[in-house]
Amino acid sequence: MSLSSVQSTLSTLKSCQADIGACMDMVSDVALGIVEAQGMDNSPALKKLEEMILECSRLDREINCFVESVDEKTAQVRLEPPEAMFHLRNSVKERFTELTAGVTDADLQRHSKVVAFRDSVRKYAMQAGQTAAENEEEELDEDIAVTQSQTNFICPLTQVEMVNPVKNKKCGHHYDQEAVLEMIKAKHKNKKKFRCPKVGCGNSDVQRSDLELDLLMKRMIQNHKRQSGKT
């Protein structure tokens, strides 16, 4: 086993990890569709989807454990005689087994996308129930949903309605995914920080890692478009 082949394997795994994240987002989106159709958050279908997203969480954690094992053991090998490379596979396997044994169900439940799945389903069910009961009343609890006005769906960067809204975990503001990622990339290329474009926000260093896809907001935008098309 060579270090170059190890790095190639890690690169492939990280690509798989991105696919797992995308799969978890799709599961969450399907779940919101079920809540919208059924108006409840405790159906058997949602239970199945929750099991799926937890399985994705387990796979994601296992990849993290493997990457940590490889990074740790290859760092050690570089400091040892060349023959140590012959034992790299076994040492990585042993360390991986140790790390995965320490992963608990609670760890899987705390995965950010699992938390977001449950939070989005709960909030959307509450919103759907309240909307059905109150018909067109727009005074929704601020903790349950953003007021459904078109202004809230406008990206502060593009000044047009967002398509794939992402939420900044630090300041809570939303942007269109493509626009904000391009802006962050451009700023970093020039060795500059990207400040949150929302007027009055003090967040002066928005990072890619601060952003998470807001499926609840995306669903609200889609509903808004459908309603607007009817009028």
Side-chain angles (χ1 to χ4, degrees):
M1 179 184 291
S2 65
L3 291 179
S4 60
S5 65
V6 169
Q7 292 305 316
S8 176
T9 300
L10 287 184
S11 178
T12 301
L13 278 175
K14 288 176 181 177
S15 177
C16 290
Q17 198 166 29
D19 291 338
I20 290 171
C23 179
M24 295 174 87
D25 288 337
M26 285 190 288
V27 170
S28 294
D29 193 44
V30 171
L32 293 182
I34 291 174
V35 172
E36 184 176 19
Q38 299 181 354
M40 59 182 183
D41 60 356
N42 58 353
S43 71
L46 285 175
K47 184 64 177 176
K48 287 291 185 183
L49 290 175
E50 184 170 350
E51 291 173 359
M52 288 176 61
I53 207 165
L54 283 170
E55 179 62 17
C56 289
S57 173
R58 183 186 64 78
L59 292 172
D60 188 60
R61 293 297 188 196
E62 287 185 355
I63 291 176
N64 285 337
C65 288
F66 184 76
V67 170
E68 183 178 342
S69 303
V70 171
D71 287 343
E72 181 181 317
K73 294 305 177 180
T74 52
Q76 290 179 8
V77 162
R78 288 189 174 94
L79 302 175
E80 297 175 355
E83 55 267 24
M85 280 295 300
F86 294 109
H87 307 292
L88 180 58
R89 184 188 299 272
N90 287 336
S91 61
V92 167
K93 184 177 180 180
E94 290 173 2
R95 182 58 178 150
F96 173 71
T97 301
E98 291 175 3
L99 291 175
T100 52
V103 176
T104 65
D105 287 342
D107 292 326
L108 302 183
Q109 305 280 356
R110 284 194 294 266
H111 191 291
S112 61
K113 289 188 180 293
V114 173
V115 173
F117 169 87
R118 289 175 173 158
D119 191 48
S120 296
V121 167
R122 177 182 61 83
K123 288 181 178 179
Y124 202 65
M126 294 174 71
Q127 179 187 327
Q130 190 168 0
T131 301
E134 301 175 6
N135 196 9
E136 297 181 355
E137 185 173 349
E138 295 181 354
E139 296 180 358
L140 298 176
D141 192 310
E142 290 181 358
D143 293 331
I144 297 176
V146 179
T147 302
Q148 287 206 14
S149 66
Q150 189 172 6
T151 303
N152 291 320
F153 304 146
I154 300 299
C155 173
L157 287 168
T158 64
Q159 293 303 309
V160 297
E161 194 169 76
M162 292 177 285
V163 177
N164 289 308
V166 292
K167 182 178 180 180
N168 191 316
K169 292 180 285 187
K170 289 186 176 178
C171 61
H173 294 130
H174 288 81
Y175 331 102
D176 188 77
Q177 186 178 50
E178 183 178 357
V180 70
L181 292 181
E182 283 295 325
M183 186 62 71
I184 291 173
K185 181 179 179 180
K187 288 289 186 179
H188 287 183
K189 186 176 181 180
N190 294 318
K191 301 187 184 303
K192 294 181 179 180
K193 294 180 179 180
F194 173 56
R195 174 183 287 276
C196 177
K198 198 71 175 179
V199 177
C201 182
N203 188 355
S204 61
D205 187 15
V206 178
Q207 297 288 331
R208 187 187 184 105
S209 58
D210 299 335
L211 308 175
E212 60 183 3
L213 187 63
D214 192 332
L215 293 172
L216 181 58
M217 173 69 82
K218 183 175 182 178
R219 177 70 58 171
M220 291 172 66
I221 293 172
Q222 292 170 342
N223 287 343
H224 173 78
K225 286 182 177 180
R226 283 198 294 268
Q227 291 169 4
S228 297
K230 294 177 181 179
T231 58

